[in-house]
Amino acid sequence: MSGGPRGFIVAAARSGAGKTVIALGLMRALARRGHVVQTFKCGPDYIDPAFHGVAAGKPSFNLDTWSMAPPTLAGLVQRHAADLVVVEGVMGLFDGVASVGQTARGATADLAALTGWPIVLVLDVSGQAETAAAVATGLARYRDDITVAGIILNRVASPRHLATIAPSLEREGLKLFGAIATNNRFALPERHLGLVQAVEMADVPQRLDVLADTVEASLDLPAIEAAARPATLPAAGSTAGLSPPGQRIALAQDRAFTFMYPHLLESWRMAGAEIVPFSPLADEAPDASADAVWLPGGYPELHAGTLAAANRFMDGLRAHAARSVPIHGECGGYMVLGQGLEDAGGVHHAMAGLLRLESSFAKRRLHLGYRRAKLLADNVLGNAGTEIAGHEFHYASIQSVGDEPLVDCRDATGGAVAEAGARRRSVSGTFFHAIDRWQT
């Protein structure tokens, strides 16, 4: 696709540099100026795109070059063209996995090279002076298939601090889009998987307006707008992503179950499926007429007591299972389908008991990374032998599992991953979240 939507990618040298809040401020400020802004998130993330959606007033989508096939990526960009595209990068600009996935290695720079969108580089300059210019120069020249359009300096201590950096950037031919002072108001609350979810913060619009006000006062917005370039992706062609798990899909959706990739819901609807949301926290049962039930990930560990006492919800799940309706859970949803969940305080909560899984948060252990999983049996994800690209990120531990494995799971290097999901009759679950069918 030549001449696709104009856009740019907000990237940084590392995680924690302020990339998310500055990207949100830019999205909000540009939308307030009358632009139709389409937002994307580079990589596998559920939390940041929810904030993007509030900032720009329309849903945000993930663009992941490791797990998504080229037609999936191109289709998302093509379907969601707008006046201006703003993409939030992931980790540091060149940080991806060692091995190429379906399209590339998952780095922000890979997406920039693929789309032709230039980089707006955020640098945290706290504790640095001219060295910051050296870092910016290295990042701008490290790969010749991407373009760094300009620099935003973050956490600048004073005008004097700025004066130790700006001349060096000019000398190296790097445009300075502006500087943002150190400000504790320019932050969002966090928890163990990232930012506190947008759905849990009633004052999100006001917080985003503060970010936008700061961006408008501190940065050269017209110059940033002018730096945007058209996408250069090839035509989308046909895509063979994940098929809908049913015609009428009951989808758990509330504060405990929010981690659902928007592109999957979009593709299911495009295939003619109907999505019927329900809230387990409100003790709602999945729709009785649904021919599939999907429990996404989220934070069931924070609401385990409420879920354990949600009898209508649990009985509804069991009734669907008794009728052999396909039920699938991802990460948090998988744990809820199990026999029990131990919360961070060591309290055990009985869950649905549809799988022989016992999980625990009492001893935190990080599980993180891309997954390439081959299905060992037919289920809602596809036929036996189908390979699924996904991602796993949680702190739970498996205490026991007693069902048949669902997948042969590998990491991004091809190394074996012990966690193989589980299946029992029509019920299945995995700790990884499915993103796309493996098409290469």
Side-chain angles (χ1 to χ4, degrees), residues 220-349:
D220 187 347
L221 276 181
I224 294 173
E225 288 181 46
R229 293 290 179 268
T232 55
L233 280 164
S238 61
T239 180
L242 294 177
S243 299
Q247 174 63 39
R248 185 173 172 83
I249 306 164
L251 176 70
Q253 291 253 274
D254 56 30
R255 293 187 178 193
F257 299 94
T258 57
F259 293 172
M260 188 71 197
Y261 287 115
H263 76 276
L264 286 184
L265 295 180
E266 179 187 60
S267 68
W268 291 350
R269 289 188 176 105
M270 288 171 58
E274 181 183 3
I275 311 297
V276 185
F278 70 99
S279 171
L281 286 181
D283 200 10
E284 295 175 355
D287 187 274
S289 64
D291 59 359
V293 180
W294 193 279
L295 303 185
Y299 290 103
E301 69 273 21
L302 301 182
H303 307 278
T306 301
L307 293 171
N311 294 323
R312 283 190 294 271
F313 162 58
M314 293 296 186
D315 289 345
L317 283 179
R318 295 170 188 135
H320 278 74
R323 297 197 304 273
S324 297
V325 171
I327 302 173
H328 186 72
E330 293 186 318
C331 200
Y334 176 35
M335 290 183 271
V336 171
L337 292 175
Q339 290 180 313
L341 188 159
E342 185 180 30
D343 65 23
V347 178
H348 184 271
H349 303 272

Side-chain angles (χ1 to χ4, degrees), residues 203 239 381 394:
D203 63 344
T239 180
L381 295 177
H394 63 92

Side-chain angles (χ1 to χ4, degrees), residues 39-117:
T39 60
F40 292 102
K41 171 66 181 180
C42 180
D45 188 297
Y46 310 94
I47 297 174
D48 292 349
F51 285 91
H52 296 178
V54 179
K58 62 199 312 282
S60 181
F61 293 85
N62 301 79
L63 298 175
D64 189 324
T65 64
W66 190 89
S67 61
M68 289 180 173
T72 303
L73 290 163
L76 282 165
V77 174
Q78 180 177 308
R79 287 194 301 275
H80 299 286
D83 294 347
L84 199 60
V85 168
V86 181
V87 184
E88 180 190 345
V90 61
M91 300 187 294
L93 176 56
F94 302 106
D95 298 335
V97 293
S99 302
V100 173
Q102 298 224 70
T103 300
R105 298 185 308 111
T108 304
D110 293 333
L111 184 64
L114 183 71
T115 60
W117 288 327

Side-chain angles (χ1 to χ4, degrees), residues 202-216:
D203 63 344
V204 169
Q206 292 77 21
R207 286 177 178 268
L208 294 176
D209 281 331
V210 169
L211 302 185
D213 291 343
T214 304
V215 160
E216 289 176 344

